[in-house]
Amino acid sequence: MNKLPRISGLECAKALKRAGFYQKRQEGSHMILRKDKPFVQVVIPAHKELDRGTLRAIIRAAGLSIDEFLKLL
């Protein structure tokens, strides 16, 4: 398993947008990204640095593997 990098919430959102997600809305410091087919919705905190556990949970909720996500960065 590859080690997850330390990235910001904005970098994570950019990578997910390359995977077909779009930003539905933003509430405070949390961005809600959505993909319609298949329906998936993830919440990304717009922090300077995401914890690795939080990033792993976002990747899992998006239906991606870690390797697929790293290729999108």
Side-chain angles (χ1 to χ4, degrees), residues 23-34:
Q23 186 169 343
K24 180 70 176 171
R25 65 183 185 275
Q26 182 166 351
E27 295 180 13
S29 66
H30 288 79
M31 299 175 282
I32 291 87
L33 274 67
R34 183 180 281 182

Side-chain angles (χ1 to χ4, degrees), residues 19-68:
F21 285 80
Y22 61 93
Q23 186 169 343
K24 180 70 176 171
R25 65 183 185 275
Q26 182 166 351
E27 295 180 13
S29 66
H30 288 79
M31 299 175 282
I32 291 87
L33 274 67
R34 183 180 281 182
K35 187 175 185 180
D36 291 328
K37 300 230 183 201
F39 180 79
V40 180
Q41 184 167 295
V42 294
V43 178
I44 301 173
H47 299 159
K48 290 182 181 178
E49 189 174 284
L50 295 177
D51 288 334
R52 287 194 175 111
T54 303
L55 180 58
R56 188 177 305 278
I58 291 169
I59 293 169
R60 189 178 312 122
L64 299 172
S65 71
I66 293 174
D67 291 330
E68 291 171 332

